[in-house]
Amino acid sequence: MKTENIPYKIYLDESEMPKSWYNMRADMKKKPAPLLNPGTGKPMTAEELGAVFCDELVAQELDDTTPFIEIPEEIRAFYKMYRPSPLVRAYCLEEKLGTPAKIYYKFEGNNTSGSHKLNSAIAQAYYAKKQGLKGVTTETGAGQWGTALSMACSYFGLDCKVFMVKCSYEQKPFRREVMRTYGANVTPSPSETTNIGKKILAEHPGTTGSLGCAISEAVEVAVGSEGYRYVLGSVLNQVLLHQSVIGLETKAALDKYGIKPDMIIGCAGGGSNLGGLIAPFMGEKLRGEADYRIIAVEPASCPSFTRGVYAYDFCDTGMVCPLAKMYTLGSDFIPSPNHAGGLRYHGMSSTLSELYDQKLMEARSVTQTDVFEAAEYFARVEGILPAPESSHAIRVAIDEALRCKETGEEKTIVFGLTGTGYFDMVAYEKFHNGEMSDYIPTDEDLAAARAKLPKMN
Ligand SMILES: *Cc1c(COP(=O)(O)O)cnc(C)c1O
């Protein structure tokens, strides 16, 4: 076993936890493109956004100049219940792989919701409460965001209405019941409870739903209910801002031991964990102070970065949300239902999209059988049962470590381990039974969805 002066787990003291979130946009010379009003084609104003989102969150969404935004004391108090999260040196994995690479992972699965999503859920619930709202609505795909938001809402005494993508609602009854344990109201989407849900069901009978469709339903209910606003667990700038707590802690832990990563790897669904993990490192890169390789990993079945186009698109299927400029597959794109775990969104954070377009980061896609192979390997070696989403990052971290083994390079790899996979055992079961297949959309599939991008592009 390699022994070094670095512990298996690098913890921070409470006093070393970040007091502010870091807003990467402040250091970007070319800013991410603004959200547009789908009616007028003009940038959304704070007032327009305020009809859908909480006021303080709108201010954060639009702020691309303030680098540090203070974390309110109430949120820091909640963070202290489950943070700082450990940065783990994967000595066992290195040993097993026989690689000279040094591998670290930031583990965000150490809370009941089982993922990083709680970092933003608690912030969003706090601002909703502070505004005097009765409750919030949202959508959830695999269920982690809904779970995190349910926990956050129950902490602040807010009502929480969750539209859950139908195939997940059926495949993940335990997730659903965790949400209900925390007092949330969970509806399978598309549903008959909204106009857009009825319309989608009429056009696509028997559909298993999509995130874009659940978003439309949640927005419709928020806008139509007094004292409610809509909240979103990924994609938006405000979510990346809250998730910067991951990267700030990671950087503080590495700095304690004078470690400089060569590459930082994260899975990318809507981009929030990756945006949060890389934030302070990207900040250094943007300011010309340091350089890192940054790799986004996405499923081959939903490849927004690697096969999408950089264009304005609808964020939802019902086309009720603002338009965002992002790497997208088209809002009509619905990943194959045999795609097992998360990362199903058709688009990508506009901040990460701009950084990717400026070639400040890379992207790679991986197939789900390769992902589960890495997940199982990791579980057996490092003990943690990873979420399928997180395992996309594990796959590429292992691939890079194996490359170091060939070249003899002692690279330092940091990856984000976003959560645990206890509620994903149906997918693991399919993998074990050899029933998991790799559906990769054809160019024709992608062209069909792309044809429906808004005309303005
Ligand atoms: C939601 C989720 C993701 C992907 O979402 P991002 O916004 O891209 O971070 C990744 N891992 C886990 C465990 C998740 O719950």
Side-chain angles (χ1 to χ4, degrees), residues 114-117 142-145 175 233-235 239-240 243 267-275 342-343 348 387-390 417-420:
S115 82
H116 66 285
K117 295 213 171 60
Q144 289 97 325
W145 167 244
R175 270 270 173 229
S234 185
V235 184
V239 185
L240 270 72
Q243 294 298 357
C267 63
S272 74
N273 86 82
L274 181 65
L343 312 180
M348 185 55 67
E389 294 90 337
S390 321
L417 186 63
T418 51
T420 47

Side-chain angles (χ1 to χ4, degrees), residues 233-244:
S234 185
V235 184
L236 295 176
N237 295 325
Q238 56 188 270
V239 185
L240 270 72
L241 175 72
H242 306 147
Q243 294 298 357
S244 68

Side-chain angles (χ1 to χ4, degrees), residues 174-189:
F174 296 152
R175 270 270 173 229
R176 187 178 77 208
E177 292 314 314
V178 177
M179 286 186 250
R180 293 178 66 202
T181 300
Y182 286 94
N185 184 304
V186 189
T187 308
S189 167

Side-chain angles (χ1 to χ4, degrees), residues 8 19 36 141 213 280 334 439:
Y8 273 70
K19 298 190 173 56
L36 298 185
C213 162
I334 296 187
Y439 176 76

